[in-house]
Amino acid sequence: MSRQPAKVLEPDDVRLALVHVGIQRHPARNRAMILLSFKAGLRACEIAGLTWPMILATDGSIAVHISVAGSIAKYGSGRQIPINRTLRTALLALHKSEGYPDRGPVIRSERSTAMQPGAVVNWFSATYRALGMVGCSSHSGRRTFITRAARLLPKTGGSLRDVQEPAGHRSIGTTERYIQGDRDAQHKLIRLI
């Protein structure tokens, strides 16, 4: 029996998650975790391994790209991901709350050490469970990011390659498997047949 892929969330679901984590301990860290998943498409291991030099420009400000090092990426697929405006705001707030560090982990555990990938996976699971979101996992943000990016391609003049590269996939076929079809568009299409 094959496992179901992580669910793609709607914008209202993401907003609900952001409100939920905003009232917990470590709101700046938690908001950044959600947005690193949904607005940059990072995997749990990449969120856990992200360090400030991968996010900061040479002058110490938040850079325009996240430079995902091959050492933290699956299959060593290091890459640069443009930083979304909402994510930038969250990273600025986290950077400030942490005392403007120039090194060390971006996402810290309760003990101020780097959060382990398994802890990131568990954190997302607990967050979705608390919200009653069934079928969601740490991979939901990544699938949502890839699906939304693919759907927005016609507005940008880009190609599926422009989704594949920030996703860090070796093959466009892998990227295609992440994209959830648009159910409304499918219903409209079937009505026209």
Side-chain angles (χ1 to χ4, degrees):
M1 180 191 300
S2 67
R3 223 174 83 194
Q4 289 285 56
K7 285 200 176 164
V8 172
L9 274 64
E10 295 298 324
D12 285 345
D13 296 325
V14 178
R15 281 190 284 279
L16 180 64
L18 288 168
V19 168
H20 175 74
V21 301
I23 58 172
Q24 295 178 327
R25 290 179 359 172
H26 313 291
R29 178 202 70 183
N30 296 346
R31 184 172 174 78
M33 287 176 66
I34 295 273
L35 294 171
L36 285 165
S37 182
F38 284 91
K39 299 294 185 181
L42 295 187
R43 299 172 176 100
C45 64
E46 294 167 342
I47 292 171
L50 201 61
T51 61
W52 287 109
M54 295 178 204
I55 290 178
L56 298 177
T58 55
D59 65 359
S61 65
I62 302 296
V64 296
H65 291 88
I66 296 172
S67 295
V68 178
S71 60
I72 68 166
K74 189 174 181 180
Y75 304 123
S77 61
R79 61 206 184 276
Q80 288 202 339
I81 304 168
I83 298 178
N84 166 281
R85 245 187 327 226
T86 307
L87 174 56
R88 171 180 295 288
T89 301
L91 290 172
L92 285 166
L94 180 60
H95 197 224
K96 180 179 179 182
S97 75
E98 294 284 321
Y100 301 101
D102 60 0
R103 66 180 72 79
V106 173
I107 304 301
R108 294 179 184 272
S109 71
E110 294 281 333
R111 293 179 206 93
S112 289
T113 59
M115 218 172 188
Q116 295 300 307
V120 172
V121 169
N122 292 339
W123 181 88
F124 274 102
S125 293
T127 299
Y128 294 133
R129 195 170 36 256
L131 292 168
M133 294 182 182
V134 178
C136 297
S137 72
S138 61
H139 229 56
S140 291
R142 183 166 168 76
R143 280 203 70 221
T144 301
F145 169 80
I146 292 168
T147 296
R148 287 193 43 75
R151 289 180 185 169
L152 292 169
L153 278 174
K155 293 182 179 182
T156 65
S159 72
L160 195 52
R161 180 95 170 124
D162 297 311
V163 178
Q164 176 195 359
E165 287 180 4
H169 288 149
R170 290 182 176 177
S171 154
I172 284 184
T174 302
T175 305
E176 289 173 336
R177 286 193 301 275
Y178 271 72
I179 300 166
Q180 178 175 288
D182 184 333
R183 303 296 177 238
D184 290 337
Q186 291 169 6
H187 284 281
K188 289 176 188 173
L189 178 65
I190 296 303
R191 280 194 297 269
L192 293 173
I193 294 176

